[in-house]
Amino acid sequence: MPRPPLTLEEKHTIATSLIHAAQHIIVTEGLANVTLRKVSKLANVNTAILYRHFSDLDELLLFASIDLLKEMTHQYVERKANTSPSNSLEAYMQEWQFFCQHSFQHPECINHVFFGRHSHRLDTLLQDYYELFTSELTHLGVTLADLQYCGNLYHTNYQYITKLMGDSVDKKSLALLNDVMIAYFHQLLLQKLATGDRLDNTVLTEKMLHTCRTLLRWSKTDTI
């Protein structure tokens, strides 16, 4: 006799238990050491169950990593409500400083979210994550729009530099500037992954801020 389909509540319970199990292993052993067998054992479910909720292990790891984005977004919402930068450039630098501080503390998860196998589907996966954890996110004051704002690195940075540069730089150049900034951030993230605590987070953050300022200045003077 075939097994009856899972109810929505059962699907939610299993999916969240898998996410939390993966997250526990990430915290205790590192993302690279997460395996399907370890996750299923910790969640106390059959290994095959994972594929009824996630396309593969990488997608599950992305959901577990997004949980870090949830906390970062919560802090972003609180910070935004309590700060008022005097100008647009200062606001932009504060955004990068905040993002870098979180990113270099958790480089594995941030790299998996923004540059991993499923990062091109991040908008859709953030919606799926929000549906799973709506109550918790609402309690934290985090909306889907907040989550997507912090989760769409390319789009958010492009919006900021467009506002800063105005009509002084054409769209093609703005897109290139955006790509260069994100690529440089990714290189710093990979350096952190390769060196661990030997590379100071503050130094990396300062490098990113200095590079952003320099690129913006060069753009305005038509140097790039």
Side-chain angles (χ1 to χ4, degrees):
M1 195 174 169
R3 181 179 177 179
L6 295 173
T7 65
L8 288 176
E9 185 177 352
E10 287 173 329
K11 288 180 179 179
H12 178 274
T13 299
I14 294 172
T16 53
S17 68
L18 288 167
I19 291 169
H20 290 149
Q23 188 181 53
H24 176 78
I25 300 168
I26 290 172
V27 172
T28 56
E29 301 181 39
L31 188 143
N33 293 310
V34 180
T35 65
L36 182 58
R37 185 175 180 180
K38 288 180 182 177
V39 171
S40 58
K41 182 178 180 180
L42 189 60
N44 195 30
V45 297
N46 188 287
T47 303
I49 286 290
L50 183 143
Y51 294 102
R52 297 178 65 179
H53 301 273
F54 306 96
S55 62
D56 53 27
L57 181 60
D58 278 339
E59 186 177 292
L60 170 60
L61 290 175
L62 190 141
F63 272 82
S65 297
I66 286 174
D67 214 51
L68 170 66
L69 198 64
K70 172 201 70 180
E71 181 56 32
M72 183 174 71
T73 306
H74 170 53
Q75 291 185 31
Y76 165 77
V77 171
E78 287 191 327
R79 188 178 62 87
K80 189 175 181 181
N82 297 314
T83 59
S84 53
S86 58
N87 59 66
S88 297
L89 179 59
E90 181 186 350
Y92 179 61
M93 291 298 112
Q94 287 185 8
E95 292 289 292
W96 266 116
Q97 184 175 30
F98 174 79
F99 182 70
C100 286
Q101 286 172 344
H102 282 270
S103 297
F104 299 136
Q105 287 175 6
H106 309 279
E108 281 188 313
C109 290
I110 292 295
N111 189 56
H112 197 77
V113 169
F114 293 107
F115 305 104
R117 181 178 176 182
H118 294 289
S119 59
H120 65 288
R121 299 172 50 228
L122 190 53
D123 276 350
T124 299
L125 295 175
L126 284 170
Q127 290 182 42
D128 294 341
Y129 175 85
Y130 188 82
E131 289 177 7
L132 277 173
F133 296 99
T134 300
S135 296
E136 183 180 344
L137 291 166
T138 301
H139 178 72
L140 291 172
V142 174
T143 66
L144 176 59
D146 292 327
L147 201 63
Q148 290 180 325
Y149 174 84
C150 289
N152 198 327
L153 184 57
Y154 280 90
H155 180 67
T156 300
N157 192 63
Y158 183 81
Q159 283 185 316
Y160 258 105
I161 61 175
T162 299
K163 186 184 298 183
L164 283 170
M165 305 307 287
D167 297 327
S168 62
V169 179
D170 61 83
K171 290 184 178 181
K172 185 176 180 180
S173 297
L174 280 172
L176 175 60
L177 177 62
N178 191 40
D179 286 345
V180 171
M181 286 177 166
I182 303 303
Y184 185 71
F185 167 74
H186 191 202
Q187 285 305 307
L188 293 179
L189 196 64
L190 292 176
Q191 286 181 35
K192 182 63 181 179
L193 282 169
T195 58
D197 292 336
R198 288 175 294 168
L199 197 53
D200 186 78
N201 294 350
T202 303
V203 172
L204 290 171
T205 299
E206 288 302 320
K207 281 186 175 183
M208 187 65 208
L209 297 181
H210 176 72
T211 299
C212 287
R213 289 182 186 276
T214 301
L215 289 171
L216 289 170
R217 185 171 64 251
W218 285 352
S219 297
K220 285 187 175 181
T221 56
D222 295 323
T223 305
I224 60 171

